[in-house]
Amino acid sequence: MSALAYSQLPNHLQPLLAKFYRAHNSRNRIRTEAVCWVAKRGDIVGGLCLTPVEEGQFLTGLLVTPTERNRGIGAQLVRNAVASSAGPVWLFCKPELVDFYSRLGFSVANRLPAALADRLTRYRRSKTLVALQNDRRMMSVPNATLKIAIACLLDECGRILVVRKRGTRFFMLPGGKAEIGETPLQTLRRELQEELDLPLEDNDFDPLGHFQAPAANEPDHQVEADVFIARLPRAVTVHAELEEMGWLEAAPCERDDIAPLLRSHVMPALLARMAQAESVACCAEPSDQGEIGSLAGKVSSIASSS
């Protein structure tokens, strides 16, 4: 077997990669301005394209011939492409590939260039895709801050829904990173719709607080979170980049697979709010019991039924 070699394909040889795509029934089209990377073992056995977009590059067309798969060729092509880019690299992938790309330094994109955002909207009309980003500039900045919005979703027993992303070990509250121009509630509602197929309205949420902690899945990053509470109106299942869901009792938590933000900040604040709600309910006049419609009242009624 001849040696494997990786290289950037000169523009005048890009038709060879186009031929490789056609031979494997790929619809990927190579744009004139694209930079192509290939793996060769005599002939091309794998390739991908980087197309310039605003502020960075868009990665498409990662393909390895079936007889060469599971040998790390695709991963090395991605590493080479990312290393050659001076700015962020974005891509769209199916949810089941998020784990693969996360091991190569990609994470869920918290923003997209306008052209890619429009394209993703069109693609999502017919398929489920996740937008990922690899920005080596951010990775090199210690303690970069990620702005997120998350929710304590409580079921009828007062349990808290937690979720785990594909390829990670920490359970956390559902929600996610803010996109440019979004309010915290807009971010949260979008994420819950995408991850749990759970449509909620702004008035379904009550604010718990604003907290900061080390990020669970991004080394050298902090998360700055707007946290809300809501009732979980029905059973849900996980979608998109989520792999697993579970439940936490409303009690101090020492599990080492719980995200630091939830374990050290959100849970204590939630328990304090519940205690406050119970105190308010106990002191209220009988005629006022049904009027305690604030967040504290909602949480108290859930917790007291458990």
Side-chain angles (χ1 to χ4, degrees):
M1 182 180 292
S2 58
L4 188 65
Y6 298 89
S7 64
Q8 194 175 115
L9 196 63
N11 286 356
H12 71 280
L13 294 181
Q14 287 183 358
L16 295 177
L17 181 57
K19 181 179 179 181
F20 173 76
Y21 284 142
R22 290 194 300 272
H24 291 82
N25 299 314
S26 170
R27 295 182 178 181
N28 190 65
R29 291 183 294 178
I30 304 174
R31 296 182 178 273
T32 304
E33 67 273 22
V35 173
C36 300
W37 281 87
V38 295
K40 288 184 176 180
R41 201 185 299 277
D43 295 325
I44 293 176
V45 297
L48 60 74
C49 299
L50 282 180
T51 303
V53 294
E54 182 183 357
E55 300 181 27
Q57 305 283 333
F58 183 46
L59 190 155
T60 60
L62 176 60
L63 177 65
V64 176
T65 192
T67 57
E68 294 281 359
R69 290 175 185 171
N70 300 314
R71 296 178 179 176
I73 294 175
Q76 190 58 50
L77 282 168
V78 173
R79 292 189 191 99
N80 290 351
V82 170
S84 72
S85 177
V89 176
W90 290 278
L91 61 84
F92 304 154
C93 71
K94 296 179 180 178
E96 57 266 29
L97 292 176
V98 170
D99 185 21
F100 168 77
Y101 286 110
S102 67
R103 294 196 298 269
L104 298 173
F106 284 82
S107 58
V108 176
N110 54 17
R111 66 180 185 86
L112 289 172
L116 291 186
D118 291 343
R119 185 180 303 188
L120 181 62
T121 298
R122 294 197 306 272
Y123 289 170
R124 280 178 168 171
R125 292 170 185 164
S126 59
K127 63 187 77 173
T128 301
L129 291 175
V130 181
L132 301 181
Q133 172 184 350
N134 185 315
D135 190 346
R136 293 184 300 138
R137 299 172 304 174
M138 177 176 286
M139 293 173 64
S140 65
V141 178
N143 297 320
T145 299
L146 306 173
K147 294 185 180 297
I148 64 173
I150 54 179
C152 297
L153 298 177
L154 295 101
D155 70 0
E156 69 277 3
C157 297
R159 299 180 303 171
I160 304 160
L161 177 68
V162 291
V163 296
R164 183 177 62 79
K165 293 182 179 179
R166 187 173 288 105
T168 67
R169 65 178 293 264
F170 288 101
F171 283 88
M172 57 190 61
L173 295 175
K177 298 171 186 173
E179 295 184 353
I180 293 177
E182 283 186 328
T183 67
L185 278 176
Q186 287 172 335
T187 297
L188 183 55
R189 290 176 57 194
R190 172 180 54 77
E191 290 283 345
L192 295 181
Q193 180 70 65
E194 293 174 359
E195 296 181 345
L196 300 173
D197 191 23
L198 182 64
L200 293 176
E201 301 299 328
D202 285 2
N203 58 10
D204 292 323
F205 299 96
D206 286 295
L208 177 63
H210 188 84
F211 308 95
Q212 189 165 356
N217 297 323
E218 290 88 354
D220 299 322
H221 284 60
Q222 297 282 313
V223 287
E224 188 175 311
D226 288 289
V227 185
F228 299 85
I229 303 179
R231 290 179 182 271
L232 190 61
R234 58 171 173 79
V236 294
T237 56
V238 295
H239 302 273
E241 72 266 28
L242 297 185
E243 185 171 48
E244 186 179 359
M245 58 179 280
W247 299 95
L248 284 182
E249 298 294 335
C253 181
E254 299 299 330
R255 284 172 45 180
D256 64 1
D257 63 343
I258 299 299
L261 177 71
L262 172 55
R263 185 177 63 244
S264 301
H265 298 279
V266 176
M267 185 66 81
L270 180 63
L271 295 177
R273 183 66 63 87
M274 286 181 169
Q276 180 187 27
E278 290 176 358
S279 175
V280 170
C282 289
C283 296
E285 293 294 330
S287 60
D288 295 332
Q289 292 287 343
E291 301 299 324
I292 303 175
S294 64
L295 164 65
K298 294 178 184 177
V299 174
S300 177
S301 64
I302 295 172
S304 62
S305 67
S306 60

